[in-house]
Amino acid sequence: MKNLLKALSYFLVIGSGLVTIFRLNKTNKQLMARETTSFQVKQTLEAIAATLEKTQESAHSTPAESKQQTLELAEDRSSEVMTSDIEVEENDQEVAEEQQENPPLIKANKNARGEYIYHVPGGVFYNRTTPVEWFHTEEEAQAKGYRKSAR
C-alpha cells in the first residue's frame, strides 16, 4: 500500500510537471506569434516610410522644378540663348500630352526588404503590384535606382 501511494505521488508530480510544460509551451507560442506580428508590422511601417521618402524625393523633380532648373542653368550660361517661360510651358504641355497618349506601363515599388524593384507588363507580380512610381522605359527605372523583378 505504501508503494502504491508513493507511485501515485510520483505520477502526480510528473503529471503536474507535464501540464506546466504544455502551458509554458502554449504561452511561448503565443508570445512568438505576437513577436512575429510586431516584427511584420515594423517591417511594413519601415517599407511605407521608405516608400513615402522615395515618393517625396521623386516629387522634388516635378516638371515645374525641372523648368526652374533649366532656367537657372540658362542664366548661368550667358553665352547661350535663354529659353522663355512660354516655350518651357509649351514644352511641358507637349510632354504632358505625349504622356497622356503613351501612358507609362512600368510599375515600380519598394519590397519588404527595402529593395527598389520595377515590374514590366506580363511579369508574375505586375498585376499585384501597387506602384509608387511609373516609368515609360526600363532605362528610366534603372536610372532612378530600381532593378528589374526577377520574375
Side-chain angles (χ1 to χ4, degrees), residues 105-117:
L105 297 176
I106 299 174
K107 297 179 178 182
N109 68 346
K110 185 175 180 181
N111 69 8
R113 289 179 286 194
E115 300 170 325
Y116 295 99
I117 300 176

PDB file of all heavy atoms in Angstrom, residues 105-117:
ATOM      1  N   LEU A 105       3.826  52.264 -68.490  1.00  0.00           N
ATOM      2  CA  LEU A 105       3.336  50.919 -68.198  1.00  0.00           C
ATOM      3  C   LEU A 105       4.180  50.188 -67.158  1.00  0.00           C
ATOM      4  O   LEU A 105       3.760  49.173 -66.627  1.00  0.00           O
ATOM      5  CB  LEU A 105       3.296  50.084 -69.480  1.00  0.00           C
ATOM      6  CG  LEU A 105       2.337  50.590 -70.560  1.00  0.00           C
ATOM      7  CD1 LEU A 105       2.465  49.735 -71.811  1.00  0.00           C
ATOM      8  CD2 LEU A 105       0.909  50.578 -70.067  1.00  0.00           C
ATOM      9  N   ILE A 106       5.364  50.695 -66.871  1.00  0.00           N
ATOM     10  CA  ILE A 106       6.256  50.014 -65.937  1.00  0.00           C
ATOM     11  C   ILE A 106       5.958  50.498 -64.531  1.00  0.00           C
ATOM     12  O   ILE A 106       6.019  51.688 -64.247  1.00  0.00           O
ATOM     13  CB  ILE A 106       7.727  50.256 -66.311  1.00  0.00           C
ATOM     14  CG1 ILE A 106       7.985  49.684 -67.709  1.00  0.00           C
ATOM     15  CG2 ILE A 106       8.647  49.650 -65.272  1.00  0.00           C
ATOM     16  CD1 ILE A 106       9.363  49.981 -68.254  1.00  0.00           C
ATOM     17  N   LYS A 107       5.633  49.534 -63.651  1.00  0.00           N
ATOM     18  CA  LYS A 107       5.302  49.854 -62.256  1.00  0.00           C
ATOM     19  C   LYS A 107       6.540  49.669 -61.390  1.00  0.00           C
ATOM     20  O   LYS A 107       7.273  48.700 -61.558  1.00  0.00           O
ATOM     21  CB  LYS A 107       4.209  48.920 -61.723  1.00  0.00           C
ATOM     22  CG  LYS A 107       2.884  49.029 -62.434  1.00  0.00           C
ATOM     23  CD  LYS A 107       1.915  48.033 -61.825  1.00  0.00           C
ATOM     24  CE  LYS A 107       0.556  48.093 -62.436  1.00  0.00           C
ATOM     25  NZ  LYS A 107      -0.364  47.137 -61.789  1.00  0.00           N
ATOM     26  N   ALA A 108       6.744  50.586 -60.439  1.00  0.00           N
ATOM     27  CA  ALA A 108       7.899  50.474 -59.547  1.00  0.00           C
ATOM     28  C   ALA A 108       7.438  50.632 -58.106  1.00  0.00           C
ATOM     29  O   ALA A 108       6.545  51.422 -57.811  1.00  0.00           O
ATOM     30  CB  ALA A 108       8.927  51.536 -59.897  1.00  0.00           C
ATOM     31  N   ASN A 109       8.042  49.843 -57.218  1.00  0.00           N
ATOM     32  CA  ASN A 109       7.735  49.943 -55.792  1.00  0.00           C
ATOM     33  C   ASN A 109       8.931  49.467 -54.986  1.00  0.00           C
ATOM     34  O   ASN A 109       9.964  49.113 -55.521  1.00  0.00           O
ATOM     35  CB  ASN A 109       6.470  49.159 -55.430  1.00  0.00           C
ATOM     36  CG  ASN A 109       6.645  47.669 -55.562  1.00  0.00           C
ATOM     37  OD1 ASN A 109       7.598  47.191 -56.145  1.00  0.00           O
ATOM     38  ND2 ASN A 109       5.722  46.916 -55.027  1.00  0.00           N
ATOM     39  N   LYS A 110       8.755  49.466 -53.650  1.00  0.00           N
ATOM     40  CA  LYS A 110       9.808  49.009 -52.744  1.00  0.00           C
ATOM     41  C   LYS A 110       9.283  47.782 -52.031  1.00  0.00           C
ATOM     42  O   LYS A 110       8.181  47.801 -51.486  1.00  0.00           O
ATOM     43  CB  LYS A 110      10.140  50.115 -51.750  1.00  0.00           C
ATOM     44  CG  LYS A 110      11.286  49.792 -50.845  1.00  0.00           C
ATOM     45  CD  LYS A 110      11.616  50.985 -49.973  1.00  0.00           C
ATOM     46  CE  LYS A 110      12.769  50.677 -49.067  1.00  0.00           C
ATOM     47  NZ  LYS A 110      13.090  51.807 -48.199  1.00  0.00           N
ATOM     48  N   ASN A 111      10.068  46.707 -52.019  1.00  0.00           N
ATOM     49  CA  ASN A 111       9.608  45.476 -51.380  1.00  0.00           C
ATOM     50  C   ASN A 111       9.852  45.522 -49.875  1.00  0.00           C
ATOM     51  O   ASN A 111      10.403  46.494 -49.344  1.00  0.00           O
ATOM     52  CB  ASN A 111      10.232  44.242 -52.029  1.00  0.00           C
ATOM     53  CG  ASN A 111      11.724  44.115 -51.773  1.00  0.00           C
ATOM     54  OD1 ASN A 111      12.319  44.854 -50.998  1.00  0.00           O
ATOM     55  ND2 ASN A 111      12.348  43.166 -52.445  1.00  0.00           N
ATOM     56  N   ALA A 112       9.468  44.476 -49.176  1.00  0.00           N
ATOM     57  CA  ALA A 112       9.578  44.422 -47.716  1.00  0.00           C
ATOM     58  C   ALA A 112      11.025  44.467 -47.244  1.00  0.00           C
ATOM     59  O   ALA A 112      11.295  44.877 -46.121  1.00  0.00           O
ATOM     60  CB  ALA A 112       8.897  43.157 -47.185  1.00  0.00           C
ATOM     61  N   ARG A 113      11.955  44.044 -48.093  1.00  0.00           N
ATOM     62  CA  ARG A 113      13.373  44.078 -47.722  1.00  0.00           C
ATOM     63  C   ARG A 113      14.022  45.421 -48.036  1.00  0.00           C
ATOM     64  O   ARG A 113      15.209  45.597 -47.834  1.00  0.00           O
ATOM     65  CB  ARG A 113      14.122  42.960 -48.432  1.00  0.00           C
ATOM     66  CG  ARG A 113      13.759  41.588 -47.881  1.00  0.00           C
ATOM     67  CD  ARG A 113      14.500  40.530 -48.611  1.00  0.00           C
ATOM     68  NE  ARG A 113      13.886  40.397 -49.937  1.00  0.00           N
ATOM     69  CZ  ARG A 113      14.085  39.408 -50.764  1.00  0.00           C
ATOM     70  NH1 ARG A 113      14.922  38.455 -50.451  1.00  0.00           N
ATOM     71  NH2 ARG A 113      13.472  39.348 -51.915  1.00  0.00           N
ATOM     72  N   GLY A 114      13.246  46.350 -48.580  1.00  0.00           N
ATOM     73  CA  GLY A 114      13.775  47.682 -48.866  1.00  0.00           C
ATOM     74  C   GLY A 114      14.403  47.827 -50.236  1.00  0.00           C
ATOM     75  O   GLY A 114      15.058  48.819 -50.517  1.00  0.00           O
ATOM     76  N   GLU A 115      14.208  46.845 -51.107  1.00  0.00           N
ATOM     77  CA  GLU A 115      14.774  46.900 -52.449  1.00  0.00           C
ATOM     78  C   GLU A 115      13.803  47.619 -53.386  1.00  0.00           C
ATOM     79  O   GLU A 115      12.600  47.406 -53.316  1.00  0.00           O
ATOM     80  CB  GLU A 115      15.027  45.488 -52.979  1.00  0.00           C
ATOM     81  CG  GLU A 115      15.984  44.680 -52.132  1.00  0.00           C
ATOM     82  CD  GLU A 115      16.033  43.217 -52.554  1.00  0.00           C
ATOM     83  OE1 GLU A 115      14.995  42.668 -52.963  1.00  0.00           O
ATOM     84  OE2 GLU A 115      17.128  42.652 -52.463  1.00  0.00           O
ATOM     85  N   TYR A 116      14.348  48.465 -54.256  1.00  0.00           N
ATOM     86  CA  TYR A 116      13.539  49.161 -55.245  1.00  0.00           C
ATOM     87  C   TYR A 116      13.454  48.274 -56.489  1.00  0.00           C
ATOM     88  O   TYR A 116      14.466  47.960 -57.099  1.00  0.00           O
ATOM     89  CB  TYR A 116      14.147  50.518 -55.577  1.00  0.00           C
ATOM     90  CG  TYR A 116      14.128  51.452 -54.395  1.00  0.00           C
ATOM     91  CD1 TYR A 116      15.250  51.654 -53.604  1.00  0.00           C
ATOM     92  CD2 TYR A 116      12.963  52.116 -54.057  1.00  0.00           C
ATOM     93  CE1 TYR A 116      15.212  52.503 -52.513  1.00  0.00           C
ATOM     94  CE2 TYR A 116      12.919  52.970 -52.976  1.00  0.00           C
ATOM     95  CZ  TYR A 116      14.039  53.159 -52.208  1.00  0.00           C
ATOM     96  OH  TYR A 116      13.994  53.993 -51.127  1.00  0.00           O
ATOM     97  N   ILE A 117      12.236  47.890 -56.856  1.00  0.00           N
ATOM     98  CA  ILE A 117      12.027  46.937 -57.944  1.00  0.00           C
ATOM     99  C   ILE A 117      11.004  47.501 -58.922  1.00  0.00           C
ATOM    100  O   ILE A 117      10.038  48.138 -58.512  1.00  0.00           O
ATOM    101  CB  ILE A 117      11.508  45.592 -57.385  1.00  0.00           C
ATOM    102  CG1 ILE A 117      12.527  45.011 -56.410  1.00  0.00           C
ATOM    103  CG2 ILE A 117      11.219  44.605 -58.500  1.00  0.00           C
ATOM    104  CD1 ILE A 117      12.066  43.755 -55.732  1.00  0.00           C
TER     105      ILE A 117
END
